[in-house]
Each structure stands twice: as structure tokens, then as C-alpha cells.
Amino acid sequence: MKLFDEIPAERPATPLLDTLDTPAALRAMTTAQLAQVADELRAYLLYTVGVSGGHFGAGLGVVELTVALHQALETPHDRLVWDVGHQAYPHKILTGRREAMPSIRHYGGLAAFPRRAESEFDTFGVGHSSTSISAALGMALAARARGETRRTCAVIGDGALTAGMAFEALAHAGHVDANLLVVLNDNEMSISENVGGIASYLARILSSKPYLTVREGSKKVLSHLPGALELARRTEEHMKGMVSPATLFEEMGFNYIGPIDGHDLPLLVQTLRNLRDLDGPQFLHVKTRKGRGFLPAEADPIGYHAITKLEKSEPEKGPAAAPLAPPRKKKKYCNVFGDWLCDMAAADARLIGITPAMREGSDLVRFSREYPERYFDVAIAEQHAVTLAAGMACEGMKPVVAIYSTFLQRGYDQLIHDVAVQDLDVTFAIDRAGLVGEDGPTHHGNLDLSYLRCVPGLVVLAPADEAECRAMLSAAYHYDGPAAVRYPRGTGPGVAIPAHLEPIAIGQAETRRESGAEPGRRVALLAFGSLNVPAAEVAERLDATHLNMRSIKPLDREAVLSAARDHDLLVTLEENVVAGGAGSAVGELLAAEGVQAALLNLGLPDAYVEHGKPGELLAECGLDAEGIEAAIRARLG
């Protein structure tokens, strides 16, 4: 295996990889050629991620596995389902998208995750984790029902295997005896001891046809001897258990093989070929190393989970100008939350921090170090995170659930039945609300105002800036019941953040500008959260009133009714789908009060917004200053 200590700045030479327009050519290659393809694939992956940015630690770890899977399986006739998609970049390169890889995650370019519309090799669209086994099982059962002969394989990571959905699918697969291969890409958790020669040798034996033939034949013979079959089964089980965690998966009905070295290409190819033709549920446990082949990523797999694109240095042009004073660095909203969490924890010993595997993303790193006994990372188990918080709240604790908007969708039933119905004191810090950018439609937080607003008893707040975010978190925390603060990805407008923990008033809007326009042209902008920034610009251009609404639920009733009385057009602005969102709440309030007012709801469309930079996407949706102004002028005629 070729090792790298830096990302190539220029496209590397990949003569053998360049001949692969589909994976079919891999099936005619020698072992040496496959090894060369793997080296070239790793080099090209490093180069393209340097150009585009994105996930690459997981992809580097499955280079050999990807080559082996496409070599052993007749893809796309055989179905290959990737979980999450972080590790699917090598798969994209091998399946006809090599030259388009520099466009990945860019506006109009390749998607960050497998997508059915992009390639016939992408058998299932993904974005959230732990779905692969369920989807692959569905495909396997459909093939059985149609009388079709094809193999189905799900590739799932050890982190994704922590979700209950994955185990539900495993249990069902064993129950229906499906022809399904599950490959566990184990690159982080200590599920098993390190791979050694004995484990690799045993994997070869246990997956070989002679062994399986003898085993099945022995079962038929021993079935006639009282107690002999059970003794043989237990002997085999304990022999496997000495070198592998087979028992759990075999009790669920799988034939467990492994763990094997996921970077040993000949071993992978041989084992997958053996498993390919076996009937029934098969489970292959593969040990890989995240960032494999790129030394900095191997040393820091978390830091190199994903990277931003590398900027090329510009040639010097004459003497450098005198350096300007550096601008004040803006804090990301997640950093505002992380600081608030530590400060509030110091002030209140009842505070508990909970996250479903988003410690770094939600910025609980400092909290986890300073308050380890009050920090709970429940892994990829959003449903459990919410109900865990509910249980803690029952006993007088003050849990704070830090979760991405798109992932809270998975815990929606628990939010309603386990928290809200019981009116429990749980605070939800909802990160990545609105358009998150390059990860695309599976990760946009474009629905939360709609699905939260309809939950009885739940307070929903959205800050216009960093200072409001801190004050709203305090307000939600002190509210005696369920409350949510939703804030966007990245930085805000750069407002100074106070050190105190004073809460903001819930349900009270802020007037940021009063209109001086003549009657017939008086417009009031009712802005929620992040869209207060373009709203301020539009209000100046149109001489409009600008209200920072702050609270989606409860609404500031008086502010809405006053704006309706004094203005000719009310315009609601939100980075959420219009259907059922904050604008709908304003319309419902006006209807309930019997107030007739011209109302224009601007927000995200009733469609899945693609990937790209947030600014590009907001402009596409008409939610930048120019788009908002144009929509208002069109409405005014």
C-alpha cells in the first residue's frame, strides 16, 4: 500500500484507474492490478477532496473494501447499499463519475452521498445513518418474490450499527432467512480484539465451501444422535467466540465471518467470493482504519473526518502592503451554544448535556471535558437521546439535548409522546437549522418550524444573531417545560456576545425599524431567525418596518395585530418551508382574530433544495435581499 503524508496539489497519474469506466473491468484483473487500482484510487481520492472539500477519512479507510466488493459482486445487477455515504467516494470514482469528482458538493455538481438519480450503481439514496440493512433486506426480499437471482449487500459502519434501526433490520433478516450479506466496516469502536493471523485464518476457513459443506453434512448425521447436534453447535460457537464476537450476530440468524483485515485486498476478495454464493443471512466483520494511507488522517481520524477544499497559493505581486488590523473573528452558532452550556452548567448543577454522536459538530467538546459526569453521548440513537432526557427530567434534572435539525426528525415521536405530552422540562438546542449547504437535501434543516410548531406546549425560538442565541438558550432552559432554540450552521452577523446568562422574554418581538412610507406602500417585514439579516437590508430599500419576531411559538400576538392595522402588506420571512411554518402561524393568528390583511409568506419552497453554498441556495430560493425585494415589489405591483 502506498502511503501519503500530504494531499496532492496536482492530479496524480492514475493510468490503470483511468481505464475503469465501470467496475466490470475489475473482475478480469490480477491481484497485482487490483492493488495498483487501490493505490491509484487512494491518490485520486486525496486529490479530488483537496479540490472540492468534503468527507474523506471514511473513504480512505474503505478503498480496498470498495475494490473488493465491486470485484466480487456483479454490480449493478447485484445490489450494493452504502450506509450514510461518507465512505462512498471511492464507490463513486469506480462507477463512472471519476472525472466529475472535483465537482462533488458544489452547486450543480455531484451529490455528497449516494443518490439513485445520479447513477444506477447508487441503489439507495442515503444521508442519515443506519438505513442500509433495512433497505438491502427489502431489495433481497423483493428479488425473492420476483424469482430473481441476485446478491444484495449492505455496508454499514460500527458507528451506524449503534442505532436501533440497524438491529431491527438484523433481527428481521435472520427471521425471514433472506439472502443478504451485511459487511460491518469497523473502523473505530472496540467491537473486537485487533485482527491477527489466527482470526484471518479462521475467516478463510469459516467462509470456505469445504468447511460449510462438512458442517451441513455433519448436522444431518448428528441430528440422529440425542444431544450431539447441540454439543456440536456449542463447540463451534465457543471456538468462534475465542477470536470473534460471533455469538450476538449468529443468535440473530446470521453466519458470522471475521473479523478480517479490511486492508488485505487478496483476503477481502477471497472471502467475498466465498460468501457471494452462500444462501441465507451472511455477516462479514471487516476491520479498517479511518484515513488509511494518509498519515495525518490516520493520526487524527476525527479531525480529518472531512476537510474544506485546499486553496491554491497565489504568486506574490510586488512588496506586501502594511498588514491591516485583523477583523474580530465571528463565533459560529455552535460555539455560542458550547460556551453557554459550560457557563450554565457552572451556574446550575442540575444541567445534563446529551448528544447523539455530535460532540464535535454541536461543540460539546469543552463541556465533555469539564463535566464528564454530566455529559452523555448516546451514539447514533436520536430516539434514545430524547427519551433519556425525558427520564432525567422526571427526576428533577435539567437535560439539554444538542441535536441537528435534520436528525431530530428521527426522534419526533419521542419528542411528542415522551417529552411534550408529559410536559417535561427538556431543552432542545437545534443546530443546522435552515439550509446547511453542501450536504444537500438530506441534511437541510428546512422542516423543523413546521413539525415543532404543531406540538402542544412546546416553545420554539429562533435567534437573529449570536447574542440572541445565548439569551434564548437561557430562556428555553428556565422555561418550565419543553422548549427549543433553532439556530443555523456557521457564523452569524458578528454581534458582541454578553457574558451573562440573562434570558430573553419569550413571545416578545423586537421592532428594529419603523416605516415612514406613505399609505398604500407601507410594508412590515416579520422576520424569523436568520432572515433578519436580509430583512434589514430590504427594509432600508423599501422604507419598510422590520420586526424581529424572535418567537415562533408563542407568537407576539400584539405585534402581529399592530402590524396588520398599520401596514398595507405583511411579509413573513423564514428559512423553513412555507407550508406549516412561521408564516402559516401568522396567517392562522390573523384568521382567528378575524383580521383581514394582505399577507405574503416567503420561505423555502415545497421542494427538496439541492446542495451548494448557503448563499447560492438562498438566492435560488429567492431569500436573499434581492429576491425578497423583488417578491415584495411584484406583490405591490
Side-chain angles (χ1 to χ4, degrees):
M1 177 189 298
K2 185 177 180 180
L3 301 179
F4 298 84
D5 56 11
E6 61 182 19
I7 296 175
E10 303 295 333
R11 191 193 194 286
T14 54
L16 195 53
L17 181 66
D18 292 346
T19 66
L20 298 175
D21 292 323
T22 69
L26 290 171
R27 293 158 208 154
M29 287 186 175
T30 64
T31 301
Q33 287 176 314
L34 291 175
Q36 182 182 337
V37 167
D39 284 342
E40 293 180 7
L41 181 56
R42 184 169 276 111
Y44 188 70
L45 174 62
L46 284 167
Y47 164 71
T48 56
V49 176
V51 171
S52 64
H55 298 98
F56 84 136
L60 289 170
V62 297
V63 165
E64 287 79 15
L65 177 60
T66 306
V67 172
L69 283 166
H70 280 295
Q71 200 278 342
L73 299 174
E74 298 284 338
T75 56
H77 174 75
D78 289 337
R79 307 305 196 217
L80 179 57
V81 183
W82 294 92
D83 205 282
V84 182
H86 293 165
Q87 73 272 43
Y89 285 23
H91 161 80
K92 287 184 179 249
I93 294 170
L94 290 176
T95 53
R97 289 164 279 182
R98 180 182 62 251
E99 299 307 321
M101 285 300 291
S103 74
I104 199 167
R105 304 175 80 246
H106 288 214
Y107 187 69
L110 293 180
F113 305 100
R115 185 176 181 184
R116 283 169 54 85
E118 193 175 282
S119 170
E120 64 178 337
F121 290 92
D122 292 358
T123 58
F124 196 74
V126 294
H128 291 190
S129 81
S130 316
T131 61
S132 60
I133 303 175
S134 296
L137 177 58
M139 294 174 188
L141 294 178
R144 176 196 290 178
R146 294 163 63 96
E148 297 171 346
T149 303
R150 61 162 50 99
R151 302 304 303 177
T152 306
C153 174
V155 184
I156 188 168
D158 54 290
L161 199 63
T162 62
M165 181 177 179
F167 280 91
E168 292 170 11
L170 286 170
H172 187 208
H175 175 70
V176 297
D177 196 33
N179 288 338
L180 173 68
L181 169 61
V182 174
V183 176
L184 170 59
N185 171 31
D186 179 5
N187 62 18
E188 200 166 20
M189 276 176 48
S190 298
I191 291 178
S192 66
E193 297 298 326
N194 291 333
V195 176
I198 294 178
S200 296
Y201 171 74
L202 185 63
R204 291 191 188 96
I205 296 300
L206 296 179
S207 67
S208 66
K209 288 184 178 179
Y211 168 80
L212 292 167
T213 301
V214 171
R215 186 180 73 167
E216 295 306 313
S218 300
K219 283 183 178 179
K220 292 179 181 178
V221 174
L222 294 174
S223 63
H224 301 291
L225 302 177
L229 185 59
E230 177 62 18
L231 176 62
R233 188 189 69 80
R234 289 184 175 274
T235 301
E236 180 187 45
E237 178 182 295
H238 290 304
M239 182 184 70
K240 285 184 176 182
M242 287 189 293
V243 291
S244 68
T247 306
L248 171 64
F249 300 109
E250 296 220 332
E251 287 297 327
M252 299 178 85
F254 280 79
N255 174 44
Y256 173 93
I257 304 297
I260 68 172
D261 183 352
H263 302 295
D264 185 336
L265 191 51
L267 174 62
L268 283 169
V269 169
Q270 178 183 343
T271 306
L272 287 168
R273 283 176 177 170
N274 288 342
L275 291 173
R276 178 184 58 198
D277 299 324
L278 299 181
D279 291 331
Q282 309 295 323
F283 192 100
L284 175 61
H285 185 170
V286 173
K287 294 284 288 184
T288 63
R289 186 164 184 178
K290 210 169 186 178
R292 181 65 168 163
F294 183 55
L295 299 180
E298 289 192 35
D300 182 15
I302 294 177
Y304 280 90
H305 171 69
I307 63 169
T308 57
K309 69 177 183 178
L310 304 181
E311 300 296 339
K312 292 187 177 181
S313 58
E314 296 292 335
E316 292 188 12
K317 299 178 180 178
L324 300 174
R328 184 177 65 189
K329 187 176 181 181
K330 295 180 181 180
K331 275 196 173 183
K332 295 180 179 179
Y333 278 103
C334 64
N335 303 142
V336 175
F337 165 73
D339 291 343
W340 171 85
L341 190 67
C342 291
D343 294 344
M344 187 59 80
D348 189 346
R350 297 173 298 165
L351 185 148
I352 299 290
I354 301 172
T355 180
M358 287 288 114
R359 185 182 76 148
E360 286 75 23
S362 294
D363 196 19
L364 279 81
V365 175
R366 179 183 151 208
F367 179 82
S368 69
R369 292 169 180 166
E370 294 184 7
Y371 301 96
E373 73 286 354
R374 293 156 68 181
Y375 166 73
F376 295 91
D377 184 341
V378 301
I380 303 174
E382 293 86 358
Q383 300 96 321
H384 170 59
V386 176
T387 304
L388 176 71
M392 290 177 171
C394 286
E395 300 302 318
M397 303 305 287
K398 297 274 287 181
V400 178
V401 179
I403 192 167
Y404 288 9
S405 170
T406 184
F407 298 145
L408 182 56
Q409 293 163 192
R410 293 184 144 198
Y412 189 52
D413 180 71
Q414 289 72 23
L415 183 149
I416 296 171
H417 288 187
D418 299 339
V419 176
V421 167
Q422 304 186 88
D423 194 30
L424 292 174
D425 192 0
V426 177
T427 300
F428 293 91
I430 305 175
D431 196 356
R432 267 64 167 182
L435 299 176
V436 299
E438 292 84 350
D439 283 341
T442 58
H443 282 61
H444 292 320
N446 59 331
L447 305 174
D448 54 68
L449 294 186
S450 301
Y451 72 69
L452 293 174
R453 190 175 69 79
C454 63
V455 178
L458 178 66
V459 165
V460 185
L461 308 174
D465 54 50
E466 301 91 333
E468 279 196 354
C469 185
R470 183 176 173 92
M472 284 182 181
L473 287 165
S474 293
Y477 184 79
H478 289 302
Y479 176 73
D480 187 18
V485 181
R486 59 101 73 170
Y487 46 89
R489 181 184 187 182
T491 60
V495 171
I497 306 168
H500 61 71
L501 291 168
E502 293 300 316
I504 205 166
I506 293 175
Q508 184 173 313
E510 172 199 28
T511 301
R512 292 196 165 186
R513 189 186 189 281
E514 289 276 9
S515 173
E518 60 186 27
R521 306 289 293 180
R522 286 177 58 82
V523 176
L525 305 179
L526 282 61
F528 295 85
S530 59
L531 290 193
N532 274 281
V533 174
E537 188 175 342
V538 174
E540 290 294 331
R541 295 180 187 178
L542 299 179
D543 191 9
T545 294
H546 174 196
L547 294 178
N548 169 21
M549 294 303 294
R550 291 178 168 167
S551 180
I552 294 88
K553 188 175 184 179
L555 276 176
D556 187 334
R557 175 179 174 276
E558 291 306 318
V560 173
L561 295 180
S562 176
R565 284 193 301 267
D566 300 337
H567 297 82
D568 303 291
L569 175 64
L570 302 187
V571 181
T572 63
L573 303 171
E574 61 188 305
E575 200 170 335
N576 185 84
V577 292
V578 171
S584 294
V586 172
E588 291 164 13
L589 172 60
L590 294 173
E593 296 287 340
V595 175
Q596 292 188 359
L599 178 63
L600 174 61
N601 296 141
L602 298 181
L604 298 176
D606 186 23
Y608 294 104
V609 180
E610 295 301 327
H611 58 278
K613 294 185 182 300
E616 295 172 328
L617 301 179
L618 285 171
E620 179 187 286
C621 296
L623 293 180
D624 60 349
E626 288 70 24
I628 293 169
E629 181 183 0
I632 294 172
R633 290 190 182 279
R635 180 62 177 268
L636 292 174

